[in-house]
Amino acid sequence: MSQRFVISVASAQDGWHVTCDALGHTRALRRSARGFPLPPEAELPGLPDEVRALVAAPGGDGELDALHRRLTRRMPAQGDIPRYGQYLFFTLLGTALWTRMAAQAGRDTIELGLRWPTTSWELGRLLWETMHDAVAPLVRRDGAAATVTRLIPAPEASHGEPVRQVRMPLRVLFLIGSNLRDAKLRAGDEYLALLRRLEARGTALSSRLLVSATMDDITQAVRDYRPTVVHFIGHGDQEVIYLRPTPAQANAGDGAAGFPCTARELLGVLQGAGGELPQVLVLNACSTNGQPAYIHAQMAATAAEPFAVQMVRGGIPVVIGMAAEVADPACRMFTARFYEALLTAPATAAGQAPDSVLVDIAHAAAEGRRAALVGFHGYSHTVDWAFPGLLVDERVSATVALEHRSEAVQLQQALGKYCSNKPFCDRVELLRDCQEWLAGGKALRSVLMLIDKVEHLKDPSDADERYGKTRLIEQVAAHAIHQGYLPCKLSLSSRTQAPPKSSLELARALARAMRSARSAFQGLATLRQVTLLPPATQLESEKLGREDIDSVAAALRADLEKLHEDAAKLQRRPLVLLDDAHRFGEAASSLRVLIEEHAVFSAAGESIPLVITWSRRGEDKIAKEALKELGEQGYVRPVEFGEIEEAFSAYRQLMLHMQPPLVVSRTALPEQVKETLSLVHDELQGVPSRLETRQKQIVLALRVAQIYGAIERADGNPAPGGAAPLPADQMAALMGVG
């Protein structure tokens, strides 16, 4: 855990007055001509030479101003970052105060709670996260990490209130403001890399994803999902973030490059959806916690508070924002380690709720910065690692009580029953459509049909050419788990496994799938101390001896009612998924009768959502005709897909499934990236099943690309000396895609 040391700064004549009440420490800072704080004059002789040269003459702060501009513009010269960090450290803290804090904290994280009026632009613009003593950045000090928290002052009437603790389950709504094809942003990389890293650690994050989000999308998602954390990935600046325009905004000609959303508008959307505001907001958008490097006293009088500050003052107690334009690898590395720390770091029991633990969000932010720092080959090369700023309402502790955290492990175990750890390429937007359908209405008949529309093989000699519907239905099941469903998935385990051919066989196969669904969630049931249907209990469909449709419907309806009851014990809803329905024969015709005439897929007056996948290349004419007719009904939403259409997005997702994960290098030239993608595309040609049949060629192409620096590891641990070929045994096996 961390120990918070509040460093309060107030304006004084010709400078500022600094206090640390916890240690009874005070110091007076001078003010330079351009508004930079300077250390007490008496301490100048003891400063490092380079720092003393920056601060010795109050009127001559031109070099200090130039240094600050270079860093905020991400153009540091050799030695700039440690010199800037030392300037901040020796100005605000000094050796004496730091030594006392370190002694008192011991092995705990030192949380430096910096508090000053939000109108103090001279202090707010500085990159305090870079503070550096005479040896190293504070975030990398020996022992526990040190971190900076920017405390946002509460209204005067509230000052002096006891610090409260945020309590919440961890439900994260990821909002991608841009299109996934935005090469500059690469938002899909950040989201997928996070999920991959958590999977590798044996845990999971309850999350929902919105791609190209509009204001209307956010309103609906917040109302349905009730996130406790909103994580925005997109473009932004000091005053706005950019979303996709709604149809009305687009028709009005507004926001051609993205709709600018102010802090007030975003707060209005989050509050207007009802319920409480999210407790945490992560803004992975440039400059949302920054001020222009050229700000001065004249413009400061009219400049708005940074977007992140406005969100805290609007009622969100914890906000992370970026101080300047930030490189996407730094965002990716910070994000992955931040959530990993929240989910896996040692914690103590919170005591007020079952399965509730205390976690340190200040320490998690420090871990995120440290990961980004390491991932950028050391602090002296770039300052991007220091741009994520943690802003906290001063009345709120940085120690958060996470409720049901250990359920993440149980969810990951359940996920393992539904998903194979195989690539899932170029389907994120398609998956978004499936999520929107799941979040939709509760009509008695609600069917989603996922159709492999390819009727003729690209390579007629490849009889096993496939386009990913089985991987897609796996991902729908996985995301449905995060959205509060208990999926019952009927999937044929091999191409040779006999499919159900009659209504009776279909009912019995579904009964086995229901039993498997209960088994997958047994760990979660044990954790919540509830009992699911005992394994020895025979379901009604398994008792059937007659094949008449009325008997089958009655038995199947009874089984689904029991599944609904068990799902409700876990605060979930049932979901049924049927894969390879084009192989069902007469059972496909029976399926339509069970849906339309018997309303089998419903319980307690609500629909049980049904997902069906089939391929137009199926040879079973009876099944194909029945499925085509079913797809024409108004209660069915058909969604077609084919070959991988967008190579750049798809192949970057493929690289994230490697071990260790790979991403396009931040230093790669456009020609190198294009050549790398061409090497992979020549092998795949948009056909996902070739990930298996041409595995060796794909791995070889990526290894060559890494040798030439076009791609690099995404885990924040680059190979010493730069890019190097990965050993073949470190590559994950790239298997079939269904």
Side-chain angles (χ1 to χ4, degrees):
M1 291 295 171
S2 63
Q3 289 194 39
R4 176 182 288 180
F5 295 89
V6 178
I7 311 297
S8 297
V9 185
S11 296
Q13 186 176 7
D14 299 326
W16 294 270
H17 186 70
V18 179
T19 60
C20 177
D21 290 337
L23 297 176
H25 181 92
T26 63
R27 63 196 281 109
L29 307 183
R30 298 171 294 144
R31 187 184 191 281
S32 77
R34 292 179 173 86
F36 289 94
L38 303 174
E41 193 163 356
E43 296 181 9
L44 294 181
L47 299 182
D49 292 343
E50 288 192 339
V51 177
R52 187 168 59 251
L54 279 174
V55 302
D61 59 359
E63 175 54 27
L64 184 54
D65 182 59
L67 173 62
H68 175 69
R69 290 172 184 249
R70 288 197 297 271
L71 264 63
T72 54
R73 291 171 177 172
R74 301 176 60 236
M75 300 174 63
Q78 183 66 34
D80 274 357
I81 299 172
R83 184 164 57 136
Y84 182 85
Q86 289 183 37
Y87 149 68
L88 295 175
F89 172 83
F90 286 105
T91 296
L92 185 67
L93 303 178
T95 302
L97 177 57
W98 173 251
T99 301
R100 294 178 63 189
M101 286 190 294
Q104 181 164 314
R107 302 291 295 182
D108 287 344
T109 297
I110 294 177
E111 181 197 348
L112 296 172
L114 308 186
R115 182 188 184 278
W116 46 69
T118 57
T119 54
S120 295
W121 60 272
E122 304 98 329
L123 303 174
R125 62 178 171 168
L126 301 177
L127 304 176
W128 297 101
E129 290 76 12
T130 64
M131 279 195 287
H132 187 304
D133 65 8
V135 179
L138 299 190
V139 74
R140 291 197 67 183
R141 81 179 185 98
D142 292 338
T147 189
V148 170
T149 300
R150 300 186 182 226
L151 301 179
I152 306 304
E156 202 62 38
S158 302
H159 189 58
E161 289 183 3
V163 174
R164 70 178 178 88
Q165 194 169 70
V166 169
R167 307 188 65 86
M168 64 180 189
L170 194 58
R171 293 195 303 270
V172 185
L173 174 62
F174 286 92
L175 302 177
I176 297 181
S178 70
N179 191 289
L180 285 177
R181 293 174 176 81
D182 188 331
K184 184 177 180 181
L185 193 64
R186 302 179 187 175
D189 282 5
E190 180 176 331
Y191 176 71
L192 292 170
L194 168 63
L195 298 187
R196 288 284 294 165
R197 180 159 182 159
L198 294 178
E199 287 172 7
R201 293 295 301 269
T203 189
L205 185 67
S206 178
S207 63
R208 183 175 175 189
L209 173 67
L210 280 183
V211 179
S212 298
T214 67
M215 300 280 271
D216 293 343
D217 294 335
I218 298 172
T219 300
Q220 185 66 41
V222 170
R223 181 181 295 119
D224 294 342
Y225 184 57
R226 301 294 185 201
T228 56
V229 180
V230 172
H231 185 119
F232 176 79
I233 307 171
H235 296 295
D237 56 37
Q238 290 87 0
E239 298 180 359
V240 299
I241 58 174
Y242 291 92
L243 304 173
R244 181 167 63 91
T246 63
Q249 292 162 348
N251 291 337
D254 294 334
F259 175 72
C261 173
T262 66
R264 176 177 293 182
E265 289 170 327
L266 182 58
L267 283 166
V269 169
L270 297 176
Q271 290 171 327
E276 295 184 356
L277 282 170
Q279 299 296 291
V280 180
L281 173 65
V282 181
L283 295 166
N284 270 4
C286 296
S287 304
T288 44
N289 183 37
Q291 291 175 314
Y294 53 81
I295 193 169
H296 49 73
Q298 288 79 6
M299 71 172 296
T302 58
E305 294 173 330
F307 190 98
V309 173
Q310 294 182 58
M311 296 305 290
V312 176
R313 290 169 68 82
I316 298 180
V318 180
V319 176
I320 293 174
M322 302 298 156
E325 181 179 349
V326 61
D328 67 277
C331 288
R332 184 175 61 246
M333 295 171 190
F334 175 87
T335 294
R337 184 62 190 130
F338 173 74
Y339 287 109
E340 184 181 26
L342 290 180
L343 287 166
T344 64
T348 57
Q352 296 184 22
D355 190 27
S356 181
V357 295
L358 295 180
V359 297
D360 191 342
I361 205 166
H363 179 77
E367 288 292 291
R369 292 192 198 103
R370 192 198 298 255
L373 186 154
V374 173
F376 273 95
H377 306 270
Y379 65 87
S380 62
H381 293 78
T382 177
V383 74
D384 290 66
W385 57 270
F387 286 165
L390 176 63
L391 287 70
V392 178
D393 185 313
E394 68 169 342
R395 299 165 294 182
V396 172
S397 168
T399 303
V400 176
L402 286 186
E403 298 172 354
H404 310 298
R405 192 181 78 157
S406 60
E407 288 190 2
V409 177
Q410 300 300 332
L411 281 180
Q412 181 59 33
Q413 292 179 1
L415 285 166
K417 303 289 186 179
Y418 293 89
C419 291
S420 53
N421 189 22
K422 306 300 186 296
F424 178 67
C425 292
D426 196 41
R427 298 289 189 257
V428 175
E429 290 181 333
L430 182 59
L431 186 59
R432 176 201 60 191
D433 293 338
C434 296
Q435 288 180 321
E436 290 177 350
W437 173 81
L438 279 172
K442 300 178 180 179
L444 283 179
R445 294 171 181 167
S446 181
V447 180
L448 177 67
M449 188 172 279
L450 304 174
I451 308 168
D452 174 357
K453 67 181 180 181
V454 179
E455 298 189 47
H456 304 288
L457 298 178
K458 180 167 285 191
D459 181 359
S461 66
D462 184 0
D464 203 33
E465 187 174 289
R466 289 162 288 145
Y467 287 81
K469 62 178 176 53
T470 296
R471 293 290 175 264
L472 177 58
I473 204 170
E474 288 178 352
Q475 292 295 319
V476 172
H479 282 263
I481 289 173
H482 291 316
Q483 289 183 251
Y485 284 89
L486 193 156
C488 169
K489 182 165 70 78
L490 173 55
S491 184
L492 307 179
S493 60
S494 70
R495 306 290 292 176
T496 59
Q497 182 176 346
K501 292 295 186 179
S502 67
S503 59
L504 178 58
E505 290 181 9
L506 176 61
R508 287 176 174 172
L510 278 168
R512 292 192 294 271
M514 291 181 217
R515 197 176 298 281
S516 297
R518 289 182 171 91
S519 175
F521 280 85
Q522 188 56 53
L524 185 60
T526 301
L527 186 65
R528 290 202 172 188
Q529 299 181 330
V530 298
T531 303
L532 304 182
L533 191 70
T537 300
Q538 191 175 24
L539 297 176
E540 297 300 321
S541 297
E542 295 168 321
K543 302 175 186 177
L544 278 175
R546 296 180 296 174
E547 293 195 23
D548 64 283
I549 195 70
D550 291 337
S551 299
V552 170
L556 189 52
R557 188 183 300 109
D559 290 341
L560 289 170
E561 286 280 359
K562 291 177 181 176
L563 182 67
H564 181 274
E565 292 172 6
D566 277 351
K569 295 176 185 177
L570 299 173
Q571 297 179 314
R572 292 178 173 272
R573 294 179 61 204
L575 166 71
V576 177
L577 306 104
L578 305 178
D579 194 19
D580 279 338
H582 59 280
R583 299 174 59 197
F584 284 12
E586 290 288 352
S589 299
S590 299
L591 177 63
R592 181 178 175 184
V593 174
L594 291 170
I595 294 171
E596 293 187 338
E597 298 182 15
H598 294 274
V600 163
F601 295 97
S602 62
E606 294 182 357
S607 70
I608 294 178
L610 176 63
V611 181
I612 303 171
T613 75
W614 65 283
S615 172
R616 293 194 182 277
R617 294 188 307 284
E619 298 178 359
D620 190 323
K621 294 183 179 180
I622 295 176
K624 285 176 61 178
E625 188 62 31
L627 292 168
K628 286 180 181 178
E629 292 179 3
L630 180 61
E632 294 171 355
Q633 306 308 307
Y635 59 86
V636 178
R637 179 176 177 180
V639 177
E640 294 190 339
F641 61 94
E643 65 184 57
I644 298 173
E645 298 176 357
E646 217 292 66
F648 189 53
S649 172
Y651 302 153
R652 285 193 286 110
Q653 293 174 44
L654 165 62
M655 290 188 289
L656 286 170
H657 280 80
M658 300 295 188
Q659 288 297 338
L662 302 173
V663 292
V664 174
S665 172
R666 61 185 176 277
T667 59
L669 299 174
E671 295 78 11
Q672 289 179 301
V673 176
K674 183 178 180 180
E675 187 173 345
T676 297
L677 299 180
S678 296
L679 285 171
V680 180
H681 184 71
D682 289 344
E683 298 298 335
L684 285 184
Q685 289 295 311
V687 182
S689 61
R690 294 186 184 181
L691 293 172
E692 176 184 3
T693 58
R694 306 196 181 185
Q695 174 186 340
K696 292 183 179 179
Q697 297 93 320
I698 294 169
V699 170
L700 178 60
L702 293 177
R703 290 181 65 193
V704 170
Q706 191 184 24
I707 292 172
Y708 287 98
I711 60 178
E712 64 184 7
R713 290 173 58 164
D715 58 3
N717 296 301
L726 293 176
D729 60 2
Q730 284 188 301
M731 293 291 190
L734 304 178
M735 303 301 289
V737 292

